[in-house]
């Protein structure tokens, strides 16, 4: 699928925007642009830009399995909570935090701190558990469904943060791009690293437009929380 823009000089190289055109120009298109040998059909072919283009893959679509197995028990959850509490006490001890130091904070402050940390850890733990079922998953599609799988409780959009479509209709969640995609793209080859926790795409609820035109939609980038490990 060629980009909607092309080089104004040779009219052969296609791009999705001026940023990529400028990058390709520096990478060597300035030397090959307009150099067509008479009667050379190979000149009509789009040149390979191995330093710039990402590798191509086939995307397999499969339904997701249930999030929780039917044989999970409360005893297992209780054992996990006990283990977590013991680990937290060990970490507090290794950090040199004594009981009398903890008592210097009022109970309300401690509860607020514990609630925030627990909720953030819970969200990220659920994210990792969901992803573990399909470690190679790069896209989660669920248009108009229960919503995206967030990596953090921070930096989540509210309804007012999602702009309406150009047609006036609201935009709704359609799919999200998972961080596993970064492993397949080999982004380090570009010299500058890119990163995300998840990229959430919102599209027109009325599915406006059509034909072969590119339609502008809205994407929300959420990074990992600083507290996630």
């Amino acid at each position: 699928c060629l980009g909607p823009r092309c080089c104004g000089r040779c009219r052969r190289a296609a791009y999705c925007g001026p940023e990529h055109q400028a990058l390709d120009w520096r990478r060597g298109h300035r030397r090959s642009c307009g150099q067509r040998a008479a009667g050379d059909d190979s000149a009509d072919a789009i040149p390979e830009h191995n330093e710039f283009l990402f590798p191509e893959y086939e995307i397999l679509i499969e339904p997701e399995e249930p999030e929780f197995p039917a044989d999970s028990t409360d005893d297992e959850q209780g054992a996990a909570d006990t283990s977590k509490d013991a680990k937290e006490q060990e970490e507090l001890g290794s950090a040199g935090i004594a009981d009398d130091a903890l008592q210097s904070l009022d109970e309300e402050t401690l509860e607020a701190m514990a609630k925030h940390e627990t909720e953030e850890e819970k969200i990220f733990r659920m994210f990792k558990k969901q992803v573990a079922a399909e470690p190679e998953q790069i896209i989660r599609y669920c248009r108009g469904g229960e919503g995206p799988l967030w990596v953090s409780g921070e930096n989540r959009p509210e309804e007012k943060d999602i702009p309406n479509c150009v047609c006036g209709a609201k935009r709704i969640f359609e799919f999200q791009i998972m961080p596993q995609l970064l492993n397949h793209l080999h982004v380090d080859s570009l010299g500058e690293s890119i990163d995300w926790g998840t990229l959430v795409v919102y599209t027109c609820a009325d599915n406006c437009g059509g034909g072969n035109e590119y339609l502008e939609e809205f994407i929300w980038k959420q990074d990992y929380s600083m507290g996630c490990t």
Side-chain angles (χ1 to χ4, degrees):
C1 180
L2 300 181
R5 301 170 182 262
C6 66
C7 175
R9 182 180 178 187
C10 67
R11 297 290 179 179
R12 292 186 298 121
Y15 306 99
C16 61
E19 294 84 2
H20 289 172
Q21 183 178 3
L23 178 60
D24 188 39
W25 184 262
R26 294 194 299 269
R27 292 291 180 100
H29 184 66
R30 61 157 63 96
R31 295 187 297 272
S32 62
C33 183
Q35 295 181 0
R36 294 186 58 181
D40 185 2
D41 294 336
S42 63
D44 292 326
I46 298 176
E48 293 186 4
H49 299 161
N50 295 327
E51 295 180 352
F52 171 69
L53 295 181
F54 293 124
E56 296 183 7
Y57 299 93
E58 178 185 5
I59 299 178
L60 302 179
I61 303 174
E62 297 179 353
E64 186 174 45
E65 297 296 328
E67 181 177 354
F68 298 103
D71 58 351
S72 61
T73 63
D74 294 337
D75 293 339
E76 293 175 351
Q77 182 62 39
D81 292 341
T82 302
S83 176
K84 180 180 178 182
D85 292 341
K87 183 178 179 181
E88 289 178 349
Q89 291 296 331
E90 182 180 351
E91 291 175 349
L92 288 174
S94 63
I97 302 178
D99 292 339
D100 55 350
L102 289 175
Q103 293 176 359
S104 64
L105 298 175
D106 61 89
E107 184 176 349
E108 183 178 353
T109 301
L110 289 172
E111 286 294 333
M113 293 171 60
K115 182 177 180 181
H116 172 73
E117 293 174 353
T118 301
E119 183 64 21
E120 190 64 30
E121 290 173 356
K122 179 181 178 181
I123 293 172
F124 188 59
R125 185 172 65 252
M126 291 300 297
F127 175 83
K128 292 196 296 183
K129 181 178 180 180
Q130 193 85 11
V131 170
E134 293 292 342
E136 299 299 317
Q137 184 181 68
I138 61 170
I139 293 178
R140 293 177 60 86
Y141 185 92
C142 188
R143 178 175 168 83
E146 57 187 24
L149 180 62
W150 298 106
V151 300
S152 170
E154 303 173 357
N155 190 30
R156 291 190 184 185
E158 299 180 3
E159 185 176 354
K160 61 180 179 63
D161 297 322
I162 309 300
N164 291 340
C165 179
V166 292
C167 72
K170 290 185 175 297
R171 285 190 172 99
I172 60 174
F173 167 66
E174 180 163 356
F175 67 94
Q176 66 183 114
I177 303 174
M178 307 297 285
Q180 288 85 335
L181 180 61
L182 295 167
N183 297 328
H184 298 288
L185 294 182
H186 310 299
V187 293
D188 288 343
S189 63
L190 294 180
E192 295 182 3
S193 177
I194 58 177
D195 192 22
W196 64 73
T198 187
L199 303 176
V200 184
V201 179
Y202 297 84
T203 61
C204 177
D206 291 344
N207 198 25
C208 69
N212 297 323
E213 297 181 2
Y214 285 90
L215 299 179
E216 179 179 322
E217 298 297 358
F218 183 77
I219 186 169
W220 185 274
K221 177 177 180 287
Q222 186 190 47
D223 294 319
Y224 291 101
S225 169
M226 295 299 293
C228 295
T229 56

